[in-house]
Short mmCIF file of all heavy atoms in Angstrom, two decimals:
data_model
loop_
_atom_site.label_atom_id
_atom_site.label_comp_id
_atom_site.label_asym_id
_atom_site.label_seq_id
_atom_site.Cartn_x
_atom_site.Cartn_y
_atom_site.Cartn_z
N GLU R 32 98.18 168.87 98.55
CA GLU R 32 96.73 168.74 98.40
C GLU R 32 96.13 170.01 97.79
O GLU R 32 95.25 169.94 96.95
CB GLU R 32 96.06 168.44 99.74
CG GLU R 32 94.59 168.14 99.64
CD GLU R 32 94.25 166.92 98.78
OE1 GLU R 32 95.09 166.01 98.62
OE2 GLU R 32 93.12 166.90 98.23
N ARG R 33 96.63 171.18 98.18
CA ARG R 33 96.15 172.44 97.60
C ARG R 33 96.44 172.48 96.10
O ARG R 33 95.60 172.90 95.30
CB ARG R 33 96.81 173.64 98.29
CG ARG R 33 96.34 173.85 99.71
CD ARG R 33 96.95 175.07 100.35
NE ARG R 33 96.54 176.26 99.59
CZ ARG R 33 97.30 177.32 99.41
NH1 ARG R 33 98.52 177.38 99.92
NH2 ARG R 33 96.87 178.36 98.71
N ILE R 34 97.64 172.05 95.72
CA ILE R 34 98.01 172.03 94.31
C ILE R 34 97.13 171.04 93.56
O ILE R 34 96.63 171.35 92.47
CB ILE R 34 99.51 171.68 94.14
CG1 ILE R 34 100.38 172.79 94.72
CG2 ILE R 34 99.84 171.41 92.67
CD1 ILE R 34 101.84 172.41 94.87
N LYS R 35 96.92 169.87 94.14
CA LYS R 35 96.09 168.83 93.50
C LYS R 35 94.67 169.33 93.26
O LYS R 35 94.13 169.18 92.16
CB LYS R 35 96.07 167.58 94.37
CG LYS R 35 95.25 166.45 93.80
CD LYS R 35 95.34 165.22 94.72
CE LYS R 35 94.57 164.07 94.13
NZ LYS R 35 93.32 163.82 94.77
N VAL R 36 94.07 169.94 94.27
CA VAL R 36 92.70 170.45 94.15
C VAL R 36 92.63 171.53 93.07
O VAL R 36 91.73 171.53 92.23
CB VAL R 36 92.20 170.99 95.51
CG1 VAL R 36 90.92 171.79 95.36
CG2 VAL R 36 91.99 169.83 96.48
N HIS R 37 93.59 172.42 93.05
CA HIS R 37 93.59 173.50 92.07
C HIS R 37 93.81 172.96 90.66
O HIS R 37 93.13 173.38 89.72
CB HIS R 37 94.65 174.55 92.41
CG HIS R 37 94.53 175.78 91.58
ND1 HIS R 37 93.55 176.72 91.79
CD2 HIS R 37 95.24 176.20 90.52
CE1 HIS R 37 93.67 177.67 90.88
NE2 HIS R 37 94.69 177.39 90.11
N ALA R 38 94.74 172.03 90.51
CA ALA R 38 95.01 171.43 89.20
C ALA R 38 93.76 170.74 88.67
O ALA R 38 93.39 170.91 87.50
CB ALA R 38 96.16 170.45 89.29
N GLU R 39 93.09 169.98 89.52
CA GLU R 39 91.86 169.29 89.10
C GLU R 39 90.78 170.27 88.71
O GLU R 39 90.04 170.05 87.75
CB GLU R 39 91.37 168.36 90.21
CG GLU R 39 92.25 167.13 90.37
CD GLU R 39 91.87 166.27 91.57
OE1 GLU R 39 91.01 166.68 92.38
OE2 GLU R 39 92.46 165.17 91.70
N ALA R 40 90.69 171.39 89.42
CA ALA R 40 89.70 172.42 89.09
C ALA R 40 89.98 173.02 87.71
O ALA R 40 89.06 173.49 87.04
CB ALA R 40 89.70 173.52 90.15
N GLN R 41 91.24 172.98 87.30
CA GLN R 41 91.64 173.48 85.98
C GLN R 41 91.57 172.38 84.92
O GLN R 41 91.94 172.62 83.76
CB GLN R 41 93.06 174.05 86.04
CG GLN R 41 93.25 175.17 87.05
CD GLN R 41 92.34 176.35 86.77
OE1 GLN R 41 92.29 176.84 85.66
NE2 GLN R 41 91.62 176.78 87.78
N GLY R 42 91.17 171.18 85.32
CA GLY R 42 91.08 170.07 84.39
C GLY R 42 92.43 169.48 84.02
O GLY R 42 92.60 168.96 82.92
N GLN R 43 93.39 169.58 84.94
CA GLN R 43 94.74 169.10 84.66
C GLN R 43 95.20 168.13 85.74
O GLN R 43 94.69 168.14 86.86
CB GLN R 43 95.73 170.26 84.62
CG GLN R 43 95.54 171.22 83.49
CD GLN R 43 96.59 172.29 83.51
OE1 GLN R 43 96.64 173.10 84.42
NE2 GLN R 43 97.44 172.29 82.50
N SER R 44 96.21 167.34 85.39
CA SER R 44 96.89 166.53 86.39
C SER R 44 97.84 167.45 87.16
O SER R 44 98.15 168.56 86.70
CB SER R 44 97.70 165.42 85.71
OG SER R 44 98.76 165.98 84.95
N VAL R 45 98.31 166.99 88.30
CA VAL R 45 99.28 167.78 89.06
C VAL R 45 100.55 167.98 88.21
O VAL R 45 101.07 169.09 88.13
CB VAL R 45 99.63 167.10 90.40
CG1 VAL R 45 100.80 167.78 91.08
CG2 VAL R 45 98.41 167.09 91.31
N ASN R 46 101.01 166.93 87.56
CA ASN R 46 102.20 167.04 86.72
C ASN R 46 101.99 168.06 85.61
O ASN R 46 102.83 168.94 85.39
CB ASN R 46 102.55 165.68 86.12
CG ASN R 46 103.86 165.72 85.37
OD1 ASN R 46 104.92 165.77 85.97
ND2 ASN R 46 103.77 165.70 84.05
N GLY R 47 100.87 167.96 84.90
CA GLY R 47 100.59 168.89 83.81
C GLY R 47 100.51 170.32 84.30
O GLY R 47 101.01 171.24 83.64
N TYR R 48 99.90 170.50 85.45
CA TYR R 48 99.76 171.85 86.02
C TYR R 48 101.13 172.44 86.37
O TYR R 48 101.42 173.59 86.04
CB TYR R 48 98.89 171.79 87.27
CG TYR R 48 98.66 173.12 87.90
CD1 TYR R 48 97.76 174.04 87.36
CD2 TYR R 48 99.36 173.50 89.05
CE1 TYR R 48 97.57 175.27 87.94
CE2 TYR R 48 99.17 174.73 89.63
CZ TYR R 48 98.27 175.62 89.07
OH TYR R 48 98.07 176.85 89.64
N ILE R 49 101.98 171.64 86.99
CA ILE R 49 103.30 172.12 87.38
C ILE R 49 104.15 172.42 86.15
O ILE R 49 104.83 173.45 86.08
CB ILE R 49 104.00 171.12 88.33
CG1 ILE R 49 103.27 171.10 89.68
CG2 ILE R 49 105.47 171.45 88.49
CD1 ILE R 49 103.72 170.01 90.62
N VAL R 50 104.12 171.54 85.16
CA VAL R 50 104.90 171.76 83.94
C VAL R 50 104.43 173.05 83.25
O VAL R 50 105.25 173.86 82.81
CB VAL R 50 104.79 170.55 82.98
CG1 VAL R 50 105.35 170.88 81.61
CG2 VAL R 50 105.51 169.34 83.57
N GLU R 51 103.12 173.25 83.16
CA GLU R 51 102.60 174.47 82.55
C GLU R 51 103.04 175.71 83.33
O GLU R 51 103.44 176.71 82.73
CB GLU R 51 101.07 174.42 82.48
CG GLU R 51 100.46 175.62 81.80
CD GLU R 51 98.95 175.52 81.71
OE1 GLU R 51 98.47 174.72 80.89
OE2 GLU R 51 98.27 176.23 82.47
N ALA R 52 102.99 175.63 84.65
CA ALA R 52 103.39 176.78 85.48
C ALA R 52 104.87 177.11 85.27
O ALA R 52 105.25 178.27 85.14
CB ALA R 52 103.11 176.49 86.95
N VAL R 53 105.71 176.09 85.22
CA VAL R 53 107.14 176.31 85.00
C VAL R 53 107.39 176.91 83.62
O VAL R 53 108.16 177.86 83.47
CB VAL R 53 107.93 174.99 85.18
CG1 VAL R 53 109.37 175.14 84.70
CG2 VAL R 53 107.90 174.54 86.63
N ASN R 54 106.72 176.36 82.61
CA ASN R 54 106.88 176.89 81.25
C ASN R 54 106.44 178.35 81.16
O ASN R 54 107.11 179.17 80.52
CB ASN R 54 106.13 176.03 80.24
CG ASN R 54 106.81 174.72 79.97
OD1 ASN R 54 108.01 174.59 80.15
ND2 ASN R 54 106.05 173.74 79.55
N GLU R 55 105.32 178.70 81.79
CA GLU R 55 104.85 180.08 81.78
C GLU R 55 105.86 181.00 82.46
O GLU R 55 106.15 182.10 81.98
CB GLU R 55 103.49 180.19 82.45
CG GLU R 55 102.36 179.63 81.61
CD GLU R 55 101.00 179.72 82.31
OE1 GLU R 55 100.90 180.34 83.38
OE2 GLU R 55 100.05 179.13 81.77
N LYS R 56 106.41 180.57 83.60
CA LYS R 56 107.39 181.38 84.32
C LYS R 56 108.64 181.56 83.47
O LYS R 56 109.19 182.68 83.39
CB LYS R 56 107.73 180.69 85.65
CG LYS R 56 108.84 181.33 86.44
CD LYS R 56 108.42 182.62 87.09
CE LYS R 56 109.46 183.04 88.10
NZ LYS R 56 109.82 184.44 87.97
#
Side-chain angles (χ1 to χ4, degrees):
E32 187 61 26
R33 290 183 62 214
I34 294 168
K35 181 178 182 255
V36 167
H37 190 75
E39 288 173 353
Q41 302 301 309
Q43 293 182 294
S44 66
V45 171
N46 186 74
Y48 181 77
I49 291 171
V50 168
E51 183 178 286
V53 169
N54 286 336
E55 286 179 8
K56 174 73 167 133

